[in-house]
Amino acid sequence: MNQTIRKLEEIVEREGVDYLHNEPYEVYLELTDAKVCPKNIAGGILLVLLNEILYNDEDIADDVTAFSETISKECGLNERISKSVASILATLKSEENRRKWSGEPSEIEEFLSEDMDLEWFGSGYWYGNNTPIECNYDARFTIRPKDHRLILNNLSSYLNITPPMSCDELTTVIEDEISDYLDSMFDDFLMEAENELNEFLDSSFEVFCPPDEYSPPSADDFNCLKHLNNWCKKNGFMVVSFDGEGSKC
């Protein structure tokens, strides 16, 4: 089946989409000459093209089950052949292929060409003298794809999904990964701040420590931009703009 689809894609990319409608028998001959599928499958594809099922309704292939039933009814093919032909032509007429053949960028091309406006909200606690102190950090930033090869490599498990993920879905994946990373960095920051605060509180009972020589830790001390830059560098992006603020604990 994959060989048949690749051959049909090759024909369309060489001759244009209308070739399927204008020269259905030539398409059939190419499929049989290349021996990429059994003759009964090639014949089924020929019947669909001759009956102009795809030409009359470009969206019909979006529902493979309904498409298969239409092929069986209008072309007189048995269920097995109809299902095979429907699956092949539905894949051929996928949204990604239609975008490509119409000159529109694919989802991944669009994704790699656009800046992303994202947000992150970090929340947690540290304990000073066994007292819980709530700390938050709110950040808004824009990142830009930079190293396309690295990005594609890192997203390979998502890009192999059928149907392909949309630009918005890929952006959500990136936002979730950044959020997980910054959450981890914020947790580490809170742990270090808690240790620092408790060391100060313990020592203050033994040694006089003038207030102006010690500044209690604050969530605003969290270097969110530094961590965001580190994540972007490792994952093929760059930071375009950043605005962040932590709570005064």
Side-chain angles (χ1 to χ4, degrees), residues 20-184:
L20 299 178
H21 168 66
N22 296 331
E23 301 291 345
Y25 191 66
E26 294 299 323
V27 173
Y28 166 78
L29 290 178
E30 283 209 43
L31 292 176
T32 54
D33 289 346
K35 298 180 180 179
V36 293
C37 63
K39 283 191 175 182
N40 56 1
I41 299 297
I45 293 171
L46 173 61
L47 287 174
V48 171
L49 298 180
L50 287 171
N51 280 275
E52 299 188 341
I53 298 173
L54 279 174
Y55 185 77
N56 291 332
D57 184 358
E58 286 193 351
D59 297 328
I60 193 172
D62 292 345
D63 185 338
V64 179
T65 299
F67 186 32
S68 175
E69 292 173 355
T70 300
I71 291 173
S72 179
K73 178 181 178 180
E74 297 195 16
C75 300
L77 300 174
N78 63 41
E79 183 179 355
R80 183 180 65 83
I81 299 297
S82 295
K83 284 183 177 180
S84 296
V85 172
S87 180
I88 290 169
L89 293 178
T91 304
L92 178 70
K93 300 288 283 188
S94 68
E95 182 180 352
E96 184 178 9
N97 276 346
R98 279 184 282 184
R99 286 170 65 102
K100 179 172 62 176
W101 296 333
S102 67
E104 296 180 29
S106 67
E107 289 288 354
I108 187 60
E109 288 172 333
E110 184 177 343
F111 171 76
L112 292 173
S113 68
E114 296 183 345
D115 291 352
M116 284 174 274
D117 297 319
L118 307 176
E119 297 181 354
W120 171 72
F121 181 76
S123 179
Y125 294 85
W126 62 48
Y127 289 80
N129 200 20
N130 295 320
T131 301
I133 303 172
E134 183 177 4
C135 302
N136 303 309
Y137 197 100
D138 192 9
R140 296 154 299 283
F141 47 88
T142 300
I143 63 173
R144 177 176 300 159
K146 183 179 180 181
D147 187 336
H148 292 182
R149 180 176 297 180
L150 178 57
I151 293 171
L152 292 175
N153 182 63
N154 290 345
L155 292 177
S156 60
S157 61
Y158 298 101
L159 299 178
N160 293 328
I161 296 174
T162 302
M165 297 184 74
S166 68
C167 189
D168 288 342
E169 289 172 327
L170 289 170
T171 299
T172 299
V173 168
I174 294 301
E175 186 169 29
D176 288 345
E177 290 188 0
I178 292 176
S179 292
D180 289 344
Y181 178 77
L182 293 179
D183 284 345
S184 176

Side-chain angles (χ1 to χ4, degrees), residues 120 122 126 136-139 181-190 218-228 242 244-247:
W120 171 72
W126 62 48
N136 303 309
Y137 197 100
D138 192 9
Y181 178 77
L182 293 179
D183 284 345
S184 176
M185 294 299 102
F186 195 54
D187 286 343
D188 290 346
F189 167 79
L190 294 179
S218 165
D220 203 40
D221 297 329
F222 178 62
N223 197 338
C224 185
L225 178 57
K226 172 187 173 182
H227 297 302
L228 178 62
F242 177 87
E245 182 179 15
S247 59

